[in-house]
């Protein structure tokens, strides 16, 4: 009993909850010459409007458990390894440093305080002197990448007519001194192949850090007065300078092109960049950002699912300002409220399709939300951007709809145009492996054989014309090349029902099969996990989670049809997935023109 009481006396305990008066806690990090010395801090309660002599730490929790001991006001406190490492990196040798770190400054065990403090998060970051972004330890490659970021402004850009290149970020004190002393980096060395490859690896490693996948880091970079990115003990670099280094790589005088893992890196940083651009007032709010925001939230993660909404609330106050921060609220209710706010912005636009596509990225949904509400907490998503492949199926129409008073039902203007009659073949496998290899795999064998069986079924006589030709046309469009006929001819002479696909046992030529695999790569995300179906009116279609009896609907403000399923108990339809149909009249807009006068509001639940 005495030992328990003794330990309790030595453990730090938070004081009264900070619920009002715009009060926050800030950390005084005591200095030390010894990098491995224990961390000693103290907490001070201040008004966020009157105290700004502190820096905010931006980092990732990475689902770590607090297990590192530090001393807070002379008592023991547990923090995570990431926080411990970051505090040691930013601890000064001679004088104390004031910091704000969410895991320490907010009593995470008090829901009421958490609600109040998260509501002020935007002001906390705006008031800080700067945001310290901790990206973890460095490597030899990341050191070269960071060094390149500081030198990128010296590289002469190739001016391309009609192309507006970004202006270099504001110079740092060190760079101004360097120019004054006429010290310039060795540009020729920076363009050498070995140096470029090392820098490329470094940029890939930076872009691959878990930091860029976490939703809170978006707000933390966007709202701070300025941000400094730290990778190990490398010289800090601003977020704007990191972006600039990615961009200038393409415009050397000799036209040399550095990849730097460009696609992956730009995708990793894109949402952070867009939000920063918006907050700095360089881009006015427009509705076209809605689909981008909604889809970006699907790939950003948080240990607390409600944060998907709360973390961007301050970035887009006109859009999400009415949503209350409440960690005791239902996740499903908060997601429904968020989706309702987003849908409320798109009436009269052509953005409905993008919103519905995001809502169907995760099926089945783990949360009990309406079918038109995205499950942003889902770890697995399936995405197909069919709309880029076709003319507008609804003739540039504008979205029209309304929400029920309880935000549970969404009414959209449209028309049911067909019904799924039967499924053909098997669902295509998950082809995510195609993104990293073009070698024949069991998934590739299964997919190619499924195409073979589908064609064999569609070639059987029916009263609806040449269905196989419809399928050829649809798949050739998806693959951006009329390659399917060759694939079918090859399969017809190479596969039979006894082929052992699980182990890749076949008498086919490996080189020829590899060439067919390459031809299928451009459409892997269009076929992955999807099912071919026939409709009552003799159309061939492709969609996910399709069942016989489902309906095909055209909706104003979209670019392609959707599969919907009637829900009798709720007296409405459930949104299933986007679809494509091998019918030029339907996909090209002619069918829409003929039914435009008979549209009606369809209830989605």
């Amino acid at each position: 009993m005495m030992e328990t009481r003794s330990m309790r006396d030595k453990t730090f305990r938070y004081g009264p909850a900070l619920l009002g008066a715009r009060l926050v806690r800030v950390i005084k990090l005591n200095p030390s010459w010894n990098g491995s010395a224990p961390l000693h801090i103290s907490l001070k309660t201040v008004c966020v409007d009157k105290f700004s002599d502190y820096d905010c730490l931006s980092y990732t929790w990475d689902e770590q458990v607090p297990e590192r001991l530090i001393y807070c006001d002379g008592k023991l406190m547990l923090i995570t390894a990431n926080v411990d490492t970051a505090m040691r990196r930013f601890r000064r040798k001679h004088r104390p440093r004031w910091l704000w770190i969410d895991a320490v400054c907010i009593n995470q065990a008090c829901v009421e305080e958490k609600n109040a403090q998260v509501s002020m998060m935007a002001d906390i970051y705006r008031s800080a002197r700067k945001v310290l972004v901790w990206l973890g330890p460095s490597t030899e490659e990341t050191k070269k990448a960071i060094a390149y970021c500081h030198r990128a402004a010296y590289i002469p850009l190739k001016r391309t007519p009609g192309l507006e290149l970004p202006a270099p970020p504001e110079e740092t004190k060190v760079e101004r001194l360097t120019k004054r002393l006429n010290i310039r980096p060795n540009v020729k060395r920076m363009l050498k192949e070995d140096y470029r490859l090392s820098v490329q690896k470094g940029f890939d490693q930076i872009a691959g850090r878990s930091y860029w996948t976490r939703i809170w880091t978006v707000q933390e970079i966007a709202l701070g007065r300025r941000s400094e990115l730290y990778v190990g003990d490398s010289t800090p670099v601003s977020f704007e300078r990191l972006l600039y280094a990615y961009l200038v790589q393409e415009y050397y005088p000799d036209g040399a092109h550095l990849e730097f893992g460009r696609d992956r890196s730009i995708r990793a940083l894109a949402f952070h960049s867009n939000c920063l651009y918006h907050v700095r007032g360089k881009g006015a709010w427009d509705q076209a950002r809605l689909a981008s925001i909604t889809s970006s939230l699907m790939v950003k993660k948080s240990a607390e699912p409600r944060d998907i909404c709360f973390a961007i609330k301050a970035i887009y106050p006109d859009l999400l300002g009415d949503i209350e921060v409440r960690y005791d609220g239902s996740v499903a209710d908060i997601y429904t409220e968020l989706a309702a706010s987003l849908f409320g912005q798109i009436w009269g636009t052509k953005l409905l399709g993008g919103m519905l596509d995001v809502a169907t990225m995760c099926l089945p949904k783990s949360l009990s939300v309406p079918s038109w509400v995205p499950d942003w907490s889902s770890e697995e998503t399936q995405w197909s951007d069919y709309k880029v492949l076709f003319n507008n199926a609804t003739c540039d129409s504008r979205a029209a709809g309304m929400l029920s008073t309880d935000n549970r039902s969404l009414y959209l203007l449209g028309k049911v145009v067909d019904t799924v009659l039967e499924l053909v073949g098997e669902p295509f496998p998950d082809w995510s492996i195609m993104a990293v290899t073009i070698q024949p795999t069991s998934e590739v064998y299964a997919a190619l054989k499924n195409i073979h069986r589908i064609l064999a079924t569609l070639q059987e006589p029916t009263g609806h014309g040449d269905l196989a030709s419809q399928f050829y046309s649809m798949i050739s469009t998806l693959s951006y090349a009329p390659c399917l006929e060759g694939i079918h001819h090859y399969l017809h002479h190479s596969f039979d029902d006894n082929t052992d696909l699980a182990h890749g046992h076949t008498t086919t030529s490996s080189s020829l099969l590899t060439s067919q695999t390459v031809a299928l790569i451009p459409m892997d995300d269009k076929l992955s996990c999807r099912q071919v179906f026939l409709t009552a009116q003799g159309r061939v279609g492709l969609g996910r989670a399709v069942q016989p009896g489902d309906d095909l609907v055209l909706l104003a403000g979209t670019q392609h049809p959707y599969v919907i399923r009637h829900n009798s108990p709720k007296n409405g339809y459930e949104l299933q997935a986007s679809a494509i149909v091998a019918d030029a009249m339907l996909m090209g807009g002619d069918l829409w023109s003929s039914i435009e006068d008979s549209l009606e509001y369809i209830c989605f639940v």
Side-chain angles (χ1 to χ4, degrees), residues 402-591:
M402 66 192 80
L403 285 157
S404 61
T405 54
D406 62 356
N407 284 345
R408 301 298 298 180
S409 298
L410 177 68
Y411 295 86
L412 298 175
L413 187 65
K415 184 77 172 180
V416 173
V417 295
D418 210 340
T419 301
V420 176
L421 186 64
E422 63 177 293
L423 306 182
V424 183
E426 300 293 330
F428 284 97
D430 184 351
W431 282 7
S432 58
I433 190 165
M434 299 280 280
V436 295
T437 180
I438 62 172
Q439 297 304 315
T441 64
S442 59
E443 289 83 5
V444 174
Y445 283 114
L448 293 175
K449 189 170 183 180
N450 193 31
I451 292 176
H452 172 68
R453 289 174 174 171
I454 290 170
L455 285 169
T457 301
L458 295 179
Q459 286 173 340
E460 296 176 359
T462 69
H464 295 293
D466 191 352
L467 299 180
S469 295
Q470 290 188 42
F471 184 66
Y472 277 129
S473 174
M474 181 174 65
I475 299 299
S476 295
T477 304
L478 289 176
S479 65
Y480 297 96
C483 61
L484 188 66
E485 187 168 354
I487 294 175
H488 173 241
H489 176 77
Y490 174 64
L491 290 172
H492 182 71
H493 294 90
S494 305
F495 280 148
D496 57 44
D497 289 337
N498 296 321
T499 303
D500 186 357
L501 297 176
H503 298 88
H505 294 161
T506 176
T507 59
T508 60
S509 164
S510 177
S511 61
L512 185 54
L513 184 55
T514 299
S515 69
Q516 305 306 327
T517 303
V518 173
L520 291 174
I521 286 178
M523 61 178 175
D524 62 349
D525 64 325
K526 308 298 188 299
L527 293 181
S528 184
C529 301
R530 282 155 176 81
Q531 173 84 58
V532 174
F533 60 84
L534 293 179
T535 72
Q537 297 185 26
R539 298 183 175 100
V540 177
L542 181 69
R544 186 162 49 92
V546 184
Q547 294 180 6
D550 289 346
D551 291 318
L552 284 179
V553 64
L554 289 175
L555 299 167
T558 64
Q559 293 182 292
H560 46 77
Y562 288 85
V563 177
I564 61 176
R565 184 172 302 154
H566 191 257
N567 186 319
S568 298
K570 294 184 178 180
N571 195 26
Y573 285 92
E574 294 179 352
L575 181 69
Q576 293 301 306
S578 57
I580 59 170
V581 178
D583 182 346
M585 287 189 61
L586 190 154
M587 302 304 297
D590 292 338
L591 179 60

Side-chain angles (χ1 to χ4, degrees), residues 359-416:
T360 61
M361 286 174 69
C362 174
L363 288 175
K365 298 178 179 179
S366 58
L367 294 176
S368 179
V369 294
S371 62
W372 50 272
V373 175
D375 181 0
W376 283 289
S377 66
S378 174
E379 293 291 333
E380 296 184 5
T381 58
Q382 290 287 337
W383 175 262
S384 273
D385 195 11
Y386 289 144
K387 59 182 178 293
V388 302
L389 304 175
F390 303 98
N391 295 325
N392 196 332
T394 61
C395 300
D396 292 321
S397 61
R398 299 298 193 268
M402 66 192 80
L403 285 157
S404 61
T405 54
D406 62 356
N407 284 345
R408 301 298 298 180
S409 298
L410 177 68
Y411 295 86
L412 298 175
L413 187 65
K415 184 77 172 180
V416 173

Side-chain angles (χ1 to χ4, degrees), residues 76-317:
L76 297 176
M77 172 186 279
L78 287 174
I79 60 174
T80 64
N82 279 354
V83 174
D84 182 279
T85 305
M87 290 177 72
R88 293 181 184 279
R89 173 63 176 85
F90 299 121
R91 180 169 58 179
R92 292 169 173 156
K93 294 181 178 180
H94 304 286
R95 56 194 176 94
R97 183 169 206 160
W98 293 96
L99 296 171
W100 187 90
I101 305 175
D102 57 352
V104 177
C105 296
I106 300 176
N107 183 357
Q108 302 293 326
C110 178
V111 175
E112 293 81 5
E113 177 174 304
K114 194 174 178 181
N115 290 343
Q117 293 289 294
V118 171
S119 298
M120 291 194 297
M121 197 82 81
D123 294 326
I124 293 172
Y125 276 85
R126 288 192 186 106
S127 298
R129 294 187 310 118
K130 58 187 174 182
V131 176
L132 309 175
V133 177
W134 175 243
L135 296 177
S138 61
T139 65
E140 289 303 314
E141 290 79 11
T142 62
K143 289 178 180 179
K144 290 184 179 179
I146 295 298
Y148 176 87
C149 290
H150 291 292
R151 298 166 181 167
Y154 290 96
I155 298 178
L157 302 185
K158 177 184 178 182
R159 296 294 172 179
T160 304
L163 179 64
E164 182 181 352
L165 296 176
E170 183 179 349
E171 292 178 336
T172 64
K173 293 181 180 179
V174 174
E175 288 167 341
R176 285 196 293 270
L177 178 61
T178 299
K179 279 191 174 181
R180 192 174 303 168
L181 298 175
N182 199 28
I183 302 174
R184 300 180 63 84
N186 188 337
V187 175
K188 285 188 176 181
R189 176 177 175 270
M190 295 172 65
L191 296 179
K192 288 184 177 179
E193 186 70 19
D194 57 343
Y195 184 88
R196 292 162 57 186
L197 290 175
S198 295
V199 172
Q200 174 180 336
K201 290 180 181 178
F203 276 141
D204 279 347
Q205 291 173 16
I206 292 173
R209 300 287 167 101
S210 61
Y211 179 89
W212 307 110
T213 69
R214 313 310 291 181
I215 186 62
W216 272 114
T217 64
V218 177
Q219 172 179 278
E220 292 162 4
I221 283 183
L223 296 182
R225 296 181 190 177
R226 64 190 181 96
S227 59
E228 292 182 350
L229 278 60
Y230 290 79
V231 185
D233 56 359
S234 298
T235 305
V237 60
S238 69
F239 179 69
E240 294 91 336
R241 190 167 294 279
L242 181 68
L243 289 176
Y244 182 77
Y246 281 127
L247 293 173
V248 300
Q249 52 164 318
E250 299 188 35
Y251 306 109
Y252 292 109
D254 61 354
H257 178 68
L258 297 184
E259 287 295 338
F260 286 171
R262 184 169 58 91
D263 291 342
R264 172 187 172 187
S265 301
I266 291 299
R267 281 199 303 269
L269 309 181
F271 192 46
H272 291 73
S273 176
N274 290 340
C275 291
L276 177 65
Y277 186 82
H278 173 71
V279 169
R280 297 287 168 85
K282 298 178 182 178
W285 164 255
D286 65 75
Q287 294 166 316
R289 297 175 184 269
L290 280 172
S292 173
I293 295 170
T294 311
S295 58
S296 295
L297 293 181
M298 292 297 295
V299 297
K300 299 299 180 185
K301 301 303 177 186
S302 174
E304 166 53 66
R306 298 168 183 83
D307 284 340
I308 293 296
C309 173
F310 301 155
I312 64 164
K313 173 180 161 66
I315 300 177
Y316 300 102

